[in-house]
Amino acid sequence: MPTPAGGSEFGSADPSGAAPGSTHSELSGAAGNVVQAREVSGGVHFHQDGAPRRPVPRQLPGDVRGFVNRTRDLERLDEITAADCTEPGVTALAVIAGTAGVGKTSLALRWAHREQHRFPDGQLYVNLRGYDPGKPVTPQHALDCFLEALDVPPRAIPRKLPDKAAAYRSLLAGRRILVVLDNAAGVSQVRPLLPGSGGCQVLVTSRSRLSGLAAREGARRITLDVLSEDEAVRLVREVTAGQRPDDEPAALAELARLCAHLPLALRIAAERASARPWMRLTDLIRDLRDESVLWDALTVDDGEEADAVRTVFAWSYRALPPEEARLFRLLGLHPGPDFGAGVAATLAGVTLARARTLLDVLIGAHLIEQHEADRYHFHDLLRTYARDQACHEEAPELRNGLLRRVLNWYGHTADAAQTWINPHEPHVELDAPEEGVVPLVFSGHDEAVAWYEAERAGLPAIILAAVDAGLDRPAWQLAVVLRAIHMRLQPFDEWIAIADAGLVAARRSGDRAAEAEVLESLGMAYAQRGQAVEAADFHRNCLTIRQELLDPRGVAFALNNLAVLGLRTLDSAAALLWARRAAEAFEAIGEWHWARISRVNLAEAYCEAEEFGSAVALVSEVLPELREPASAGHRGNALNVLSTARLGLGDAESARAAAAAAVEVATSRHNRVWEGHWLCTLGRAQQACGDIDEALASYRRSAALQHGLGDRVREARAWHLTGVAYQALGRHREAVDFHLTAAAVFRELDDGRRLAVVLADLAEARSCSGEHDAGAAARREAVGILARYDDVRASRLRERQARILGD
């Protein structure tokens, strides 16, 4: 269970204010320097000395071996770019359209690799999977991937599609980046992914003409035809180079005609010919001509091209040895967009080494592709073909059994990853690995995270496939296992999608304990994303179920989660209630470690209620019990709470010593989350001791860390405290700028309590700088917001502001 977000924030300084109205600010860049602007509007950027260091994404897949001709099409792409670059503010947008297997992606990648020097700020790539058997990639998910590649932490990525798209366009503005959108199904999938300014180029590939992009965005279209006979023959010669030097031109031309001059079919046929250099090409052609069409469900237009694709796939598949052929069709059952050798071994029931050997055979036959180390994928046509063969040749009960094995493998592999990513979180009890299922093991944190990131895009599809197949128990188990990883890495969209599917499975199975586990996961996800109302509903429902089940340990954790939520939302009454009940519940069952943590939460709640003496007494009791290395984070948090309490009692030196000790815990563990949070507490103590320069350094360091972590609430808090420090120095106009920046974030996040505190400080800074009307307006807005709250701090702050206004 998570430690509290903690830190007494409400009324952390002499409250005063923030600007009313619709001012909107966003923080971007490194927060190493301060902003000194008269008014804050639009984006606020904090720059380091010298040129800012921006990430340069390099996401292009590898270029295609044996690429032939397409000279005119490459020249046309050059012309489109040159023409659009002459219009200021216009993004060059090219659509490469054509039938399946005609080589759209190959053309896009060949041009992209050839011209990447023109895009020094990077290249972004996404396969939108518009024609895969599974669900296509949503614009939301594609934008999440692009924003992360542009160094936006998951926690800082906006929730709504328009906001994601706006953030993406802002990051691309003024940069020269190539964006490749592969396999788009329609205009709606593409439009949110378009940059908003010149300098960038977008390449889109699609089987559709995407006429809407031409009409509205001015896209230029290249429609690919099949290769000419000479080009087709040249492609076959490229693939078979060194293996079949004596093939007759007439026979090569016949092979090209049988493949309808389609590059995909030609590569597969040529690879089979290359693998059999002792066979005459005329014999291979006879086999191909005589091959019966095994696949009637291919979703391409009827005609010569469709017949060629069906024939070549069947011909190549039937030529595989039995073991490789079975792996090929079983991989078609994998629900995700790509896969690793570990899950391939699980599907085939072989060792990892053997699976890699079989995968190499399929790569050599051009039936699958390897796009990075230990990651493989199908062309969408081949994936459909493989799945169709599995449905024809494997019994339904066997297919369900294979999916169960896959889920079993993912569950135990995710459990192994959790050991490194979030080792202090309790592990979920899983069903034992099935016979032949060998989960991965990891040698360290980075390796575990790399595995998760590689699998991340496909995990929601895997759990949804399990739910669709009625495999409820493994579905909810995997959702709960992934919770511990999601808590640390915070991929919110995937987390919520997976937990939602797990909740369906748990409820359908009638397993109330499982339902409570998934509800807890959803509560954590929404709490960490800042959606407190939704989080509270999930946590209360979880608590109700565990009370009904007479699960005292589960009840204690549910109470603790509600206490943490109360601290996050600065609701001191709720935090006191739930933290006290959680501590008592843990003590009743002898869970002394968690009882101590709940008591620290209770002490923090006392700070929020301004009962500082009670907080000091409680933390002083707990601290000696938190000395073991495994409790370092909890000890640091206790010291942080003690500092807040000491400062509330007026003992600034003791407060500084406690906060400095907390920050030392964080830096010794290289934990930026702890350090960024506790530095603000240290800064407040330093300021109270009169060391304002030291306080400013702490706040600035905190803001930089929180920006890197994507925690907008805590970053805004650091800038608010910076404004308070400038007020103490008498530099009120600079204080106004910082308060405006913080207020804009809290306003956007609908965080009324924190907004009211900043508004009160802003009002004071405005008044001191001679802007009395603006100060009064900010103060009135603060009073209006605070009327919604009835806790001690809100009441005192409201009364103080009303008194100044003369109300």
Side-chain angles (χ1 to χ4, degrees):
M1 304 298 153
T3 52
S8 301
E9 300 176 27
F10 194 75
S12 57
D14 182 16
S16 325
S22 58
T23 301
H24 174 77
S25 304
E26 292 182 3
L27 311 182
S28 70
N33 297 328
V34 298
V35 169
Q36 298 186 19
R38 179 66 188 91
E39 295 288 341
V40 181
S41 138
V44 178
H45 302 267
F46 298 96
H47 297 289
Q48 293 175 317
D49 294 331
R53 291 176 294 174
R54 288 173 162 178
V56 180
R58 304 289 188 191
Q59 294 188 328
L60 292 178
D63 201 355
V64 180
R65 180 173 66 89
F67 186 89
V68 300
N69 210 315
R70 299 292 192 195
T71 303
R72 180 66 193 115
D73 298 310
L74 290 168
E75 290 173 350
R76 176 68 178 137
L77 284 172
D78 290 338
E79 292 166 3
I80 290 171
T81 304
D84 286 341
C85 284
T86 62
E87 300 184 49
V90 173
T91 296
L93 174 57
V95 175
I96 304 172
T99 191
V102 78
K104 302 181 292 295
T105 299
S106 297
L107 174 65
L109 292 179
R110 171 52 57 104
W111 187 88
H113 279 283
R114 193 186 73 177
E115 301 298 324
Q116 63 179 307
H117 64 280
R118 295 168 52 186
F119 305 99
D121 296 316
Q123 303 89 43
L124 296 169
Y125 171 90
V126 63
N127 184 349
L128 294 171
R129 305 190 182 281
Y131 303 94
D132 269 22
K135 293 183 179 180
V137 173
T138 64
Q140 291 92 325
H141 180 73
L143 284 169
D144 285 348
C145 294
F146 282 171
L147 289 169
E148 288 188 41
L150 294 166
D151 208 31
V152 179
R155 189 166 182 169
I157 294 175
R159 301 170 201 162
K160 298 178 181 178
L161 177 60
D163 297 331
K164 293 177 192 282
Y168 167 70
R169 290 192 298 270
S170 295
L171 287 170
L172 263 57
R175 303 174 75 175
R176 293 167 62 192
I177 288 180
L178 175 65
V179 182
V180 180
L181 308 176
D182 203 7
N183 291 313
V187 171
S188 62
Q189 213 182 3
V190 171
R191 195 162 271 147
L193 309 180
L194 300 179
S197 56
C200 295
Q201 162 115 22
V202 180
L203 287 184
V204 185
T205 74
S206 180
R207 296 182 200 172
S208 166
R209 291 169 58 82
L210 301 182
S211 299
L213 289 182
R216 180 169 155 183
E217 280 78 17
R220 319 292 181 93
R221 185 187 304 115
I222 297 173
T223 302
L224 283 193
D225 200 353
V226 298
L227 298 173
S228 68
E229 185 166 294
D230 287 345
E231 292 169 338
V233 168
R234 181 179 165 193
L235 176 56
V236 174
R237 286 203 181 277
E238 288 280 350
V239 175
T240 61
Q243 300 296 322
R244 307 185 62 90
D246 301 325
D247 287 334
E248 293 293 328
L252 290 169
E254 174 68 8
L255 180 63
R257 284 193 293 274
L258 288 170
C259 293
H261 298 173
L262 280 168
L264 176 62
L266 284 164
R267 287 181 182 279
I268 292 171
E271 192 61 51
R272 185 175 175 193
S274 181
R276 293 160 178 78
W278 62 88
M279 287 186 69
R280 292 183 305 171
L281 191 57
T282 52
D283 293 335
L284 289 167
I285 290 171
R286 185 181 62 250
D287 289 346
L288 177 56
R289 191 184 294 116
D290 294 342
E291 178 67 56
S292 60
V293 177
L294 299 179
W295 186 20
D296 296 325
L298 180 65
T299 54
V300 296
D301 294 337
D302 292 333
E304 181 186 5
E305 292 168 1
D307 290 342
V309 170
R310 286 194 290 259
T311 300
V312 170
F313 286 0
W315 180 61
S316 185
Y317 169 69
R318 286 165 64 87
L320 290 170
E323 196 175 13
E324 284 82 349
R326 183 169 186 269
L327 177 59
F328 171 76
R329 63 179 180 265
L330 295 184
L331 287 171
L333 299 174
H334 186 270
D338 62 356
F339 48 88
V343 77
T346 297
L347 279 165
V350 298
T351 65
L352 189 60
R354 181 59 182 161
R356 289 192 172 116
T357 299
L358 299 177
L359 290 167
D360 285 343
V361 173
L362 297 179
I363 292 168
H366 282 287
L367 294 176
I368 64 171
E369 300 172 27
Q370 183 172 7
H371 56 279
E372 58 184 77
D374 196 41
R375 301 305 298 175
Y376 308 85
H377 68 275
F378 285 104
H379 186 284
D380 51 13
L381 290 178
L382 282 161
R383 184 181 177 194
T384 301
Y385 181 76
R387 179 174 294 187
D388 188 80
Q389 294 311 303
C391 290
H392 276 88
E393 300 186 41
E394 307 290 348
E397 58 271 17
L398 177 61
R399 296 200 301 271
N400 251 20
L402 287 168
L403 182 55
R404 187 185 298 276
R405 284 170 60 85
V406 166
L407 288 159
N408 191 247
W409 181 86
Y410 273 108
H412 284 279
T413 300
D415 184 70
Q418 179 199 330
T419 300
W420 292 101
I421 297 172
N422 197 354
H424 300 302
E425 193 66 15
H427 286 256
V428 176
E429 186 176 341
L430 296 170
D431 296 336
E434 295 186 15
E435 184 177 355
V437 173
V438 182
L440 298 181
V441 294
F442 304 101
S443 60
H445 175 273
D446 291 348
E447 188 177 292
V449 170
W451 171 81
Y452 170 76
E453 291 295 346
E455 297 285 356
R456 172 181 160 185
L459 288 169
I462 289 163
I463 291 186
L464 285 169
V467 173
D468 290 344
L471 300 175
D472 293 331
R473 181 173 172 80
W476 69 253
Q477 280 187 328
L478 180 55
V480 176
V481 171
L482 289 168
R483 175 183 62 197
I485 296 174
H486 292 152
M487 287 166 59
R488 280 296 173 90
L489 303 183
Q490 299 181 341
F492 292 115
D493 287 345
E494 288 90 344
W495 185 354
I496 290 171
I498 286 169
D500 280 340
L503 186 59
V504 170
R507 284 175 170 166
R508 189 168 61 190
S509 70
D511 190 329
R512 296 281 279 167
E515 182 180 352
E517 290 285 340
V518 184
L519 287 168
E520 182 178 64
S521 183
L522 283 164
M524 292 175 177
Y526 280 102
Q528 290 188 32
R529 195 158 75 168
Q531 293 177 256
V533 174
E534 295 89 342
D537 286 341
F538 286 119
H539 282 318
R540 287 195 186 99
N541 289 338
C542 171
L543 174 62
T544 298
I545 292 173
R546 287 174 173 171
Q547 287 171 330
E548 291 172 359
L549 295 175
L550 303 179
D551 174 10
R553 189 172 189 273
V555 165
F557 279 120
L559 293 167
N560 186 64
N561 287 328
L562 285 164
V564 171
L565 184 62
L567 292 171
R568 281 181 178 274
T569 56
L570 306 181
D571 186 343
S572 60
L576 281 168
L577 169 67
W578 299 119
R580 186 177 289 114
R581 289 183 60 185
E584 292 168 353
F586 280 124
E587 288 167 0
I589 59 175
E591 285 273 6
W592 305 114
H593 172 73
W594 285 103
R596 293 174 195 128
I597 293 168
S598 293
R599 285 158 68 196
V600 173
N601 292 348
L602 179 58
E604 187 169 357
Y606 279 134
C607 287
E608 291 299 329
E610 298 192 349
E611 297 180 35
F612 299 114
S614 297
V616 169
L618 193 54
V619 175
S620 298
E621 290 176 8
V622 173
L623 265 173
E625 301 169 347
L626 294 173
R627 296 197 175 277
E628 61 272 18
S631 298
H634 302 307
R635 177 175 176 78
N637 190 60
L639 288 164
N640 185 68
V641 174
L642 179 62
S643 175
T644 300
R646 291 287 191 195
L647 192 60
L649 293 172
D651 189 351
E653 287 296 344
S654 293
R656 177 158 64 176
V663 171
E664 171 59 28
V665 169
T667 55
S668 67
R669 295 298 192 280
H670 308 288
N671 190 306
R672 295 181 300 157
V673 174
W674 300 345
E675 183 185 359
H677 183 40
W678 299 338
L679 274 168
C680 277
T681 306
L682 176 59
R684 291 181 60 233
Q686 290 167 331
Q687 185 171 339
C689 291
D691 297 321
I692 297 182
D693 287 343
E694 290 184 16
L696 282 169
S698 294
Y699 299 149
R700 188 174 300 171
R701 168 70 176 163
S702 174
L705 288 170
Q706 301 296 0
H707 183 75
L709 293 165
D711 193 325
R712 299 184 67 201
V713 169
R714 287 180 176 171
E715 182 182 7
R717 183 191 177 217
W719 292 125
H720 168 223
L721 290 174
T722 303
V724 172
Y726 275 108
Q727 280 179 249
L729 291 171
R731 296 164 64 175
H732 302 295
R733 291 187 179 275
E734 291 155 292
V736 165
D737 296 330
F738 285 105
H739 294 325
L740 282 169
T741 302
V745 174
F746 295 140
R747 195 185 303 280
E748 181 183 342
L749 298 176
D750 197 24
D751 191 334
R753 287 174 175 267
R754 291 180 175 87
L755 175 59
V757 176
V758 181
L759 284 168
D761 279 331
L762 176 62
E764 186 68 21
R766 290 277 205 198
S767 298
C768 291
S769 60
E771 302 172 71
H772 300 291
D773 289 344
R779 214 178 294 279
R780 280 193 293 272
E781 185 182 4
V783 170
I785 293 171
L786 290 165
R788 305 200 300 259
Y789 307 103
D790 58 5
D791 56 277
V792 172
R793 288 195 172 189
S795 298
R796 288 183 182 175
L797 180 56
R798 183 177 64 251
E799 291 168 3
R800 186 183 306 134
Q801 301 309 304
R803 188 167 54 251
I804 294 172
L805 287 167
D807 295 345

